[in-house]
Amino acid sequence: MKRVILLIAVLTASAWLSSCESRRFQFVATLNRTVDFAVDHSGPFKTVRTITAAQIRNNLNVPEGSTIKRVDIEALSIVPETKAGNEATEVKVRGTIKDQGHEVELFKETSIHLTTGVDVGYGVRVPLQKLVDLGISALKTKINDHVSRLNDADIEINLYGTTLPAGKRLLMTVHFDIKATVLYEKCIDTPNFFGGEKCEEGEED
Amino acid sequence: MKIRLYLLTLFAASQWALGQEIGDYISKYTAENGKGYMQPLADVFGADLNSGLFQGGRLPQVGFHLTIGVKGVTAKIGDDLRTFKATTEEPFSPTQTEKVPTIFGKNEAVAVTGVGGTVYNFPGGFDMDMMPLVIPQATIGTLLGTEATVRYFMANLGEDIGDLKLAGIGVRHSISQYLPLLPIDLSVGYFTQKFSVGEVVEAQAVYYGAQVGKTWGLFCLYGGAGYESTEVTVAYEQEKDVESSRVSFDMKSEDQLRFTVGVGLNLVILKIHVDYNLASPKTLCAGIGFGW
């Protein structure tokens, strides 16, 4: 009899451990999107690039059935890549984002030192410090619209610049990096010993 | 960015493996933070693996015995394993350090604010208080007072994950055979185990120590003291746009002291034992086996 009780206890414990239930967990998905601006100018310039909703969604890969809780911009940065033939030693750039037909400043003028001659190629990453709240907010809203499928309009980024010394040829690619995070919740099946809030029946997992 | 990382636990007889994608938990981390986030998993997993390796102390000089069974182990996840100090990673600015959840911590992201309305989010954990593991084990002996213990399990978890493998071997040698006047059974043992999940997780656990035991009819009381070490490597592909790079963390717990106290019941062919392990973290182990 004792053996039977023991076996039942072991089997019950095993069944409890092996059974699953749907629980809600919060996840952080990271967006790492690079927009390349190819520049070949002498003097002031403006270039425009767009990011599509499909690019944002593919990069984030937030699963179907998730609930988006928040989108945050973590950082914007630039990696300069000078090309053979570049004569400029410095470029000053600022960026805007198109929001409801108007350009909103995303970051203020930032100076980037460049390499010339035989030392062309990738330079050091420059984290953008002079960010503008309004522009960051607009970018955040657009990413949220894409990931939540509220509005699939492209994100348009404008890059303005001037070269130093004046009149020298600037031949480079500005790799503009956007790093953002999306907080989302999703119900997933986990064993009983995992935490998380229990999902109601019918909630998607 | 899309990272696939599979956390696998061996648990319960009918469901040996759980492949749970936790990429979005760890995708924030690439170096030291990743190590801090995952280190408790290495500690807990190692403590689980190093449990239930021996039962009782008596090892006759010669005599055949074979026991095949399973060990159910659970580690208690304390508060010290639920948080760690993490530092924001570049290019986020300014650099900040915060107390944030580990893989076992609260399921709440921790946000810190930076310049121009930027926010850095540290991911939450799975909010776990314990981590159970079920391990198949066979013990055979004895020759010259020595028995061998083998742990083995293998399963294919599909193309995405690969094979889950657990292989372990250990030997225990009787010291009391050389000390006939010793009123208790004394032995020493060494055990090593390897665990891998495809090319994502590789773990090695080592335990060595001394065991004592005393048998009264069907019952035995036993204990042990030893050292354990665990090394876990977690590696995965981190994707950025169309490029990807391999990120890996090496996590080590070296020479942690472990004390064991347990009771066993030997009912002819049915062998049962329960022991408690004072280690970091503490574990409770119950085993059932059949043999003679």
Side-chain angles (χ1 to χ4, degrees), chain A residues 3 6-7 10 14-20 24-34 58-63 70 72-77 125 127-129 131-133 136 140 177 179 181 183-184 188-191 193-196, chain B residues 1-2 4 7 9 11-15 18 20-25 27-28 89-93 107-109 111 115-132 134 239-241 267-270 272 288 290:
Chain A
R3 290 182 200 182
L6 188 78
L7 276 171
V10 169
S14 298
W16 180 78
L17 289 175
S18 62
S19 63
C20 283
R24 186 179 297 107
F25 287 93
Q26 191 185 74
F27 296 86
V28 178
T30 306
L31 171 82
N32 252 326
R33 182 77 207 166
T34 302
N58 289 342
N59 198 281
L60 277 165
N61 199 34
V62 173
R70 201 173 75 220
D72 290 308
I73 304 300
E74 186 177 303
L76 301 180
S77 61
R125 178 181 299 278
L128 295 170
Q129 303 283 350
L131 302 174
V132 181
D133 284 7
I136 292 293
K140 201 159 73 171
D177 283 351
K179 202 164 183 185
T181 49
L183 246 76
Y184 67 91
I188 55 170
D189 285 337
T190 63
F193 55 87
F194 278 59
Chain B
M1 183 192 292
K2 178 184 155 194
R4 284 181 176 274
L7 167 71
T9 56
F11 68 96
S14 62
Q15 190 176 345
L18 166 73
Q20 176 61 55
E21 185 177 314
I22 60 163
D24 283 346
Y25 274 81
S27 65
K28 283 294 298 164
E89 294 175 5
E90 282 196 342
F92 178 81
S93 178
N107 183 241
E108 283 171 17
V115 294
T118 53
V119 175
Y120 190 98
N121 286 303
F122 294 97
F126 279 106
D127 202 6
M128 289 164 70
D129 295 322
M130 61 176 208
M131 182 168 160
V134 174
E239 292 177 19
K240 187 195 169 198
D241 288 347
L267 298 167
V268 194
I269 62 160
L270 179 67
I272 304 153
I288 184 167
F290 297 91

Side-chain angles (χ1 to χ4, degrees), chain B residues 32-139:
Chain B
E32 278 307 305
N33 285 342
K35 215 168 156 180
Y37 185 78
M38 296 290 282
Q39 180 66 49
L41 177 66
D43 296 343
V44 170
F45 193 63
D48 272 354
L49 276 182
N50 283 327
S51 297
L53 292 166
F54 59 89
Q55 306 83 49
R58 180 177 288 177
L59 289 171
Q61 200 171 23
V62 183
F64 182 74
H65 75 261
L66 172 69
T67 306
I68 296 169
V70 288
K71 310 291 173 188
V73 191
T74 187
K76 169 85 181 142
I77 298 165
D79 287 344
D80 56 325
L81 295 174
R82 294 169 63 87
T83 58
F84 76 108
K85 286 217 164 169
T87 303
T88 55
E89 294 175 5
E90 282 196 342
F92 178 81
S93 178
T95 303
Q96 293 171 61
T97 300
E98 278 290 322
K99 196 173 172 185
V100 302
T102 66
I103 192 165
F104 297 127
K106 270 191 178 177
N107 183 241
E108 283 171 17
V110 173
V112 294
T113 51
V115 294
T118 53
V119 175
Y120 190 98
N121 286 303
F122 294 97
F126 279 106
D127 202 6
M128 289 164 70
D129 295 322
M130 61 176 208
M131 182 168 160
L133 206 62
V134 174
I135 307 162
Q137 179 172 311
T139 302

Side-chain angles (χ1 to χ4, degrees), chain A residues 69-108:
Chain A
K69 304 303 282 186
R70 201 173 75 220
V71 174
D72 290 308
I73 304 300
E74 186 177 303
L76 301 180
S77 61
I78 283 174
V79 179
E81 182 195 2
T82 47
K83 309 280 186 187
N86 174 58
E87 294 169 348
T89 55
E90 190 180 342
V91 61
K92 288 182 175 177
V93 289
R94 69 179 183 90
T96 65
I97 181 170
K98 198 96 171 267
D99 187 32
Q100 295 174 343
H102 303 286
E103 281 188 41
V104 178
E105 198 162 33
L106 195 55
F107 62 93
K108 291 183 182 293

